[in-house]
Protein backbone atom coordinates (compact mmCIF):
# COMPACT_ATOMS: atom_id res chain seq x y z
CA UNK A 1 0.00 0.00 0.00
CA UNK A 2 1.30 3.39 -0.99
CA UNK A 3 0.05 5.85 1.64
CA UNK A 4 1.49 9.34 2.16
CA UNK A 5 0.52 9.51 5.84
CA UNK A 6 1.88 6.00 6.58
CA UNK A 7 5.10 7.35 5.06
CA UNK A 8 4.98 10.34 7.43
CA UNK A 9 4.42 8.05 10.44
CA UNK A 10 7.40 5.89 9.48
CA UNK A 11 9.58 8.97 8.99
CA UNK A 12 10.16 8.16 5.33
CA UNK A 13 8.47 11.46 4.48
CA UNK A 14 9.48 14.43 6.66
CA UNK A 15 6.93 16.31 8.76
CA UNK A 16 6.82 18.89 11.55
CA UNK A 17 5.93 16.65 14.48
CA UNK A 18 3.77 18.05 17.26
CA UNK A 19 3.12 14.87 19.28
CA UNK A 20 3.59 11.12 19.01
CA UNK A 21 2.78 8.05 21.07
CA UNK A 22 2.15 4.36 20.31
CA UNK A 23 -1.28 5.08 18.84
CA UNK A 24 -1.26 8.53 17.26
CA UNK A 25 0.94 10.93 15.34
CA UNK A 26 0.27 14.68 15.10
CA UNK A 27 2.00 17.12 12.76
CA UNK A 28 1.56 20.54 11.19
CA UNK A 29 -0.52 20.71 8.03
CA UNK A 30 1.73 21.69 5.13
CA UNK A 31 -0.84 24.23 3.90
CA UNK A 32 -2.30 25.75 7.08
CA UNK A 33 -5.77 27.28 7.03
CA UNK A 34 -5.26 29.03 10.37
CA UNK A 35 -2.44 29.90 12.81
CA UNK A 36 -2.89 26.45 14.36
CA UNK A 37 -3.57 23.69 11.83
CA UNK A 38 -2.49 20.27 13.00
CA UNK A 39 -3.34 16.88 11.55
CA UNK A 40 -3.91 14.13 14.11
CA UNK A 41 -3.79 10.63 12.64
CA UNK A 42 -3.92 7.04 13.88
CA UNK A 43 -0.72 5.05 13.39
CA UNK A 44 -2.82 2.14 12.21
CA UNK A 45 -4.03 2.70 8.65
CA UNK A 46 -7.76 3.48 8.81
CA UNK A 47 -8.93 4.86 5.46
CA UNK A 48 -11.56 7.34 6.66
CA UNK A 49 -14.16 8.18 9.30
CA UNK A 50 -16.50 5.89 7.36
CA UNK A 51 -14.29 2.98 8.43
CA UNK A 52 -14.55 3.53 12.18
CA UNK A 53 -16.17 0.56 13.93
CA UNK A 54 -16.27 -1.24 17.28
CA UNK A 55 -12.96 -2.92 16.42
CA UNK A 56 -10.97 0.32 16.10
CA UNK A 57 -12.94 3.02 17.93
CA UNK A 58 -10.64 2.82 20.98
CA UNK A 59 -8.02 4.46 18.75
CA UNK A 60 -10.45 7.26 17.94
CA UNK A 61 -11.22 7.84 21.63
CA UNK A 62 -7.50 8.21 22.25
CA UNK A 63 -7.13 10.59 19.30
CA UNK A 64 -9.70 12.91 20.91
CA UNK A 65 -7.83 12.81 24.21
CA UNK A 66 -4.71 13.87 22.31
CA UNK A 67 -6.61 16.60 20.46
CA UNK A 68 -7.78 18.07 23.80
CA UNK A 69 -4.23 17.89 25.15
CA UNK A 70 -2.70 19.60 22.10
CA UNK A 71 -5.40 22.31 22.12
CA UNK A 72 -4.48 23.11 25.73
CA UNK A 73 -0.78 23.05 24.94
CA UNK A 74 -1.29 25.43 22.00
CA UNK A 75 -3.44 27.71 24.19
CA UNK A 76 -6.50 27.56 21.96
CA UNK A 77 -8.76 25.53 24.27
CA UNK A 78 -10.39 28.57 25.89
CA UNK A 79 -10.99 30.68 22.76
CA UNK A 80 -12.14 27.65 20.78
CA UNK A 81 -11.12 25.52 17.86
CA UNK A 82 -12.55 23.18 15.24
CA UNK A 83 -12.00 19.46 14.61
CA UNK A 84 -12.79 18.24 11.09
CA UNK A 85 -12.59 14.86 9.37
CA UNK A 86 -13.42 14.97 5.67
CA UNK A 87 -14.72 11.81 4.02
CA UNK A 88 -14.77 11.25 0.29
CA UNK A 89 -15.12 13.40 -2.76
CA UNK A 90 -18.02 15.59 -1.63
CA UNK A 91 -16.02 16.71 1.40
CA UNK A 92 -12.83 17.25 -0.60
CA UNK A 93 -10.85 14.53 1.13
CA UNK A 94 -7.58 14.03 -0.69
CA UNK A 95 -5.63 11.54 1.42
CA UNK A 96 -6.92 8.06 2.16
CA UNK A 97 -5.60 7.79 5.72
CA UNK A 98 -7.98 9.04 8.41
CA UNK A 99 -6.93 12.45 9.68
CA UNK A 100 -8.51 14.93 12.03
CA UNK A 101 -7.79 18.59 11.28
CA UNK A 102 -7.31 20.59 14.49
CA UNK A 103 -7.80 24.20 13.45
CA UNK A 104 -7.68 27.34 15.60
CA UNK A 105 -5.83 30.43 16.69
CA UNK A 106 -8.23 32.84 14.98
CA UNK A 107 -11.96 33.50 14.62
CA UNK A 108 -12.96 30.78 12.17
CA UNK A 109 -15.30 31.06 9.21
CA UNK A 110 -18.72 29.94 10.47
CA UNK A 111 -19.77 28.50 7.12
CA UNK A 112 -19.67 24.73 7.56
CA UNK A 113 -21.19 23.51 4.34
P1 LIG B 1 -8.16 16.49 3.38
O1 LIG B 1 -8.63 17.44 2.34
O2 LIG B 1 -7.82 15.12 2.82
O3 LIG B 1 -9.08 16.42 4.55
O4 LIG B 1 -6.82 17.11 3.95
C1 LIG B 1 -5.54 16.73 3.59
C2 LIG B 1 -4.60 17.71 4.27
O5 LIG B 1 -3.28 17.19 4.22
C3 LIG B 1 -4.56 19.08 3.59
O6 LIG B 1 -4.92 20.09 4.54
C4 LIG B 1 -3.12 19.22 3.12
O7 LIG B 1 -2.62 20.52 3.23
C5 LIG B 1 -2.37 18.23 4.00
N1 LIG B 1 -1.21 17.62 3.36
C6 LIG B 1 -1.15 17.06 2.13
N2 LIG B 1 0.06 16.56 1.89
C7 LIG B 1 0.81 16.82 3.00
C8 LIG B 1 2.17 16.54 3.35
O8 LIG B 1 2.96 15.95 2.60
N3 LIG B 1 2.59 16.96 4.58
C9 LIG B 1 1.75 17.62 5.44
N4 LIG B 1 2.25 18.00 6.62
N5 LIG B 1 0.46 17.88 5.14
C10 LIG B 1 0.00 17.48 3.94
ZN1 LIG C 1 -1.87 5.09 5.72
Amino acid sequence: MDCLFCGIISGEIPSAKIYEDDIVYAFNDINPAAPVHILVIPKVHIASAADINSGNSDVIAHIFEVIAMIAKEKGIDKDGFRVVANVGENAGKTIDHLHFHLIGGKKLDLKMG
Side-chain angles (χ1 to χ4, degrees), residues 27-107:
F27 56 107
N28 281 327
D29 194 293
I30 206 166
N31 185 22
V36 176
H37 188 168
I38 294 165
L39 300 174
V40 187
I41 67 178
K43 284 194 167 173
V44 62
H45 182 92
I46 299 170
S48 84
D51 298 287
I52 297 168
N53 54 51
S54 57
N56 59 23
S57 58
D58 53 336
V59 170
I60 309 306
H62 183 65
I63 283 178
F64 274 84
E65 289 177 39
V66 169
I67 286 172
M69 186 202 74
I70 294 173
K72 277 192 197 82
E73 230 172 71
K74 291 287 172 188
I76 59 171
D77 57 315
K78 298 279 189 301
D79 287 346
F81 59 90
R82 183 170 292 153
V83 179
V84 176
N86 293 315
V87 179
E89 207 183 316
N90 273 2
K93 181 167 180 279
T94 54
I95 295 172
D96 281 331
H97 182 127
L98 175 62
H99 47 284
F100 292 91
H101 298 255
L102 166 54
I103 303 165
K106 70 168 188 181
K107 185 89 180 162

